[in-house]
Amino acid sequence: MPRPTPAQLTYGTVTVVFSTLAMLLLSQTSSGIGVAVIVFAALGLGLLVAMTVPQPKPAAPAARVASVVRTAEERVPVQRAAAAPVLAESVREPAGP
């Protein structure tokens, strides 16, 4: 299981704190059971928010990037060389009588 990113930890923590405060203020509960229900609901909401934060995509390894660049550099001259004779033939004028 991958570790949570700093963004996930931040969003989850902020959600838990603010949702707990909001629910406690709105419900005006003073019983222990009511506070416990609100705390568990806030923890669940914080977990939900933290898990829905998009994960960053892993960077490509340097060797893979280098091979892609090398392959692209090898392809470009071949394509230009193959296209040159076609252009030369299309410019030629037809032979006269």
Side-chain angles (χ1 to χ4, degrees):
M1 185 167 151
R3 293 184 177 202
T5 63
Q8 287 176 312
L9 291 174
T10 303
Y11 283 129
T13 302
V14 169
T15 301
V16 169
V17 170
F18 285 125
S19 63
T20 302
L21 288 175
M23 287 189 279
L24 284 172
L25 289 173
L26 291 173
S27 69
Q28 298 178 353
T29 186
S30 59
S31 68
I33 294 174
V35 172
V37 168
I38 288 173
V39 167
F40 283 118
L43 285 173
L45 186 61
L47 182 63
L48 178 70
V49 168
M51 298 309 290
T52 57
V53 173
Q55 291 279 340
K57 295 187 179 187
R64 182 175 173 198
V65 171
S67 69
V68 170
V69 170
R70 199 173 334 119
T71 305
E73 289 173 352
E74 292 171 359
R75 257 189 271 155
V76 171
V78 172
Q79 291 173 348
R80 288 182 183 160
V86 174
L87 291 174
E89 291 175 4
S90 63
V91 174
R92 289 185 189 161
E93 294 181 15

